[in-house]
């Protein structure tokens, strides 16, 4: 069943898009990632122009994250105070990111930048998470080996402007969460990701938050930042494809509910190693696409457009 996407100017199979949305929704519920870091490259692979993929994917992230957050609210695993601070940084970052995106689009370099950003970030984060999870699994398998403690007092605890976060059981400065939020906001605008794949590791390893709370809080922040990003892209770039967004949404919302159930049944270390494997696989495919010669060396497009 082929369907024509007006903004992306390509025809794709509707069931393929529903399936992709569902698959990414499941991941969203399991790992607390918006799923954009997987979905956006998958959209590149099926022939959607990067500028359209980035702006439209932000829509789908809002829906699957919202669906995931509802499930986490029911379990009381969302730290609203921490979420609000991350959010403040995120909104500022998103506005900066869209300005940068528009500037690069006017230079005609946006597609390359988006793909390069993906390869670098996915490679680094996937690698680090994979090594860390392997070590954690090894330690917990040793006789008498408890799962590793993650809370360490470091430079984060020495910073001023401290606040108490009851749900996370933390008493830390508001500066690190603000900075994490800001970075994630910029990436959300340029890469069309919710930023969960950066936010979740940062919340666990930098801020020392318990894994149970991290997922819900990350999704809470992602909803607002990506909604804001989508709005900015739609009003400044006109690259949001509604037909594509709706198909991805339907799949995503259903998938997120299934994912939350699966995630609740697995160990934290297993979840992390699975996520790391996925991240590395997508990174490898993208890197290959950038290095190998494309089948069509020239593509036609309007001047200054895609």
């Amino acid at each position: 069943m082929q369907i024509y996407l007006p903004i992306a100017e390509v025809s794709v199979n509707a069931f393929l898009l529903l399936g992709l949305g569902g698959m990414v929704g499941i991941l969203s519920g399991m790992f607390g990632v918006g799923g954009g870091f997987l979905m956006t490259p998958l959209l590149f692979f099926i022939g959607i122009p990067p500028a359209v993929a980035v702006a439209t994917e932000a829509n789908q992230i809002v829906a699957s994250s919202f669906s995931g957050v509802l499930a986490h609210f029911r379990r009381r695993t969302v730290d609203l105070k921490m979420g609000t601070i991350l959010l403040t940084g995120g909104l500022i970052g998103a506005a900066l990111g869209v300005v940068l995106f528009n500037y690069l689009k006017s230079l005609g370099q946006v597609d390359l930048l988006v793909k390069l950003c993906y390869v670098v970030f996915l490679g680094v984060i996937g690698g680090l998470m994979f090594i860390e999870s392997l070590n954690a699994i090894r330690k917990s398998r040793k006789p008498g080996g408890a799962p590793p403690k993650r809370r360490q007092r470091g430079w984060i605890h020495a910073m001023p402007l401290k606040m108490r976060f009851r749900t996370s059981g933390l008493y830390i400065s508001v500066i690190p969460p603000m900075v994490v939020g800001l970075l994630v906001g910029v990436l959300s605008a340029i890469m069309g990701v919710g930023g969960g794949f950066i936010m979740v590791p940062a919340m666990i390893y930098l801020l020392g938050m318990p894994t149970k709370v991290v997922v819900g809080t990350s999704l809470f922040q992602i909803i607002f930042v990506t909604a804001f990003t989508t709005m900015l892209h739609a009003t400044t770039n006109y690259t949001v494809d509604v037909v594509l967004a709706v198909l991805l949404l339907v799949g995503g919302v259903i998938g997120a509910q299934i994912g939350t159930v699966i995630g609740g049944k697995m160990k934290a270390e297993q979840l992390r190693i699975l996520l790391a494997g996925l991240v590395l696989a997508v990174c490898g495919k993208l890197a290959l696409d950038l290095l190998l010669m494309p089948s069509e060396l020239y593509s036609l497009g309007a001047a200054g457009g895609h």
Side-chain angles (χ1 to χ4, degrees):
M1 192 176 112
Q2 292 290 321
I3 191 163
Y4 181 70
L5 305 174
I7 307 280
E9 298 171 346
V10 289
S11 291
V12 284
N13 187 319
F15 294 114
L16 173 69
L17 290 178
L18 280 171
L20 286 180
M23 187 179 80
V24 172
I26 290 177
L27 296 175
S28 164
M30 276 171 75
F31 303 120
V33 292
F37 71 99
L38 281 173
M39 185 55 120
T40 313
L42 289 173
L43 290 176
F44 299 163
F45 301 155
I46 60 172
I48 313 277
V52 178
V54 166
T56 308
E57 178 44 28
N59 272 302
Q60 192 252 353
I61 293 168
V62 174
S64 55
S65 302
F66 187 69
S67 169
V69 153
L70 290 179
H72 283 283
F73 262 126
R74 289 199 289 272
R75 297 182 180 177
R76 305 243 169 106
T77 48
V78 181
D79 187 336
L80 288 175
K81 205 173 182 185
M82 176 66 86
T84 313
I85 288 171
L86 288 164
L87 182 56
T88 315
L91 295 178
I92 301 165
L96 293 173
V98 171
V99 171
L100 182 63
F101 187 92
N102 289 345
Y103 172 66
L104 287 161
K105 199 171 173 215
S106 67
L107 295 180
Q109 292 300 324
V110 91
D111 292 6
L112 180 66
L113 170 88
V114 169
K115 288 186 175 172
L116 279 175
C117 273
Y118 267 104
V119 172
V120 171
F121 274 102
L122 295 181
V124 170
I125 285 164
L128 291 175
M129 274 178 77
F130 194 73
I131 294 164
E132 192 278 337
S133 312
L134 270 181
N135 289 341
I137 288 175
R138 238 183 252 140
K139 279 180 191 153
S140 61
R141 285 230 177 112
K142 276 184 191 156
K149 279 259 185 274
R150 261 214 225 89
R151 209 162 286 182
Q152 67 278 28
R153 291 188 63 78
W155 51 275
I156 296 262
H157 296 273
M159 290 174 125
L161 299 174
K162 288 196 170 183
M163 250 173 110
R164 192 170 294 289
F165 299 98
R166 294 199 187 285
T167 320
S168 302
L170 290 178
Y171 179 59
I172 56 166
S173 159
V174 296
I175 301 169
M178 277 287 267
V179 174
V180 169
L182 185 90
L183 283 175
V184 168
V186 173
L187 291 175
S188 167
I190 293 178
M191 295 166 66
V193 292
F197 69 102
I198 290 170
M199 184 113 79
V200 171
M203 284 156 88
I204 295 174
Y205 303 120
L206 274 182
L207 309 178
M209 284 172 70
T211 308
K212 288 263 180 277
V213 186
V214 165
V215 176
T217 311
S218 153
L219 288 175
F220 169 76
Q221 190 262 8
I222 286 171
I223 292 174
F224 294 101
V225 174
T226 42
F228 182 60
T229 308
T230 304
M231 210 172 69
L232 290 177
H233 273 305
T235 50
T236 59
N237 291 328
Y238 315 114
T239 46
V240 176
D241 194 311
V242 181
V243 183
L244 177 61
V246 169
L247 284 168
L248 295 175
L249 282 183
V250 176
V253 172
I254 301 164
Q257 295 298 327
I258 303 168
T260 312
V261 176
I262 302 173
K265 292 189 165 61
M266 290 178 74
K267 282 191 186 148
E269 285 84 26
Q270 293 171 327
L271 275 176
R272 288 207 302 277
I273 206 157
L274 268 178
L275 183 59
L278 269 170
V279 171
L280 288 171
V282 174
C283 169
K285 171 81 174 88
L286 267 176
L288 272 178
D289 283 0
L290 281 177
L291 296 172
L292 298 176
M293 188 182 288
S295 51
E296 296 163 8
L297 284 178
Y298 302 99
S299 65
L300 299 172
H306 309 312

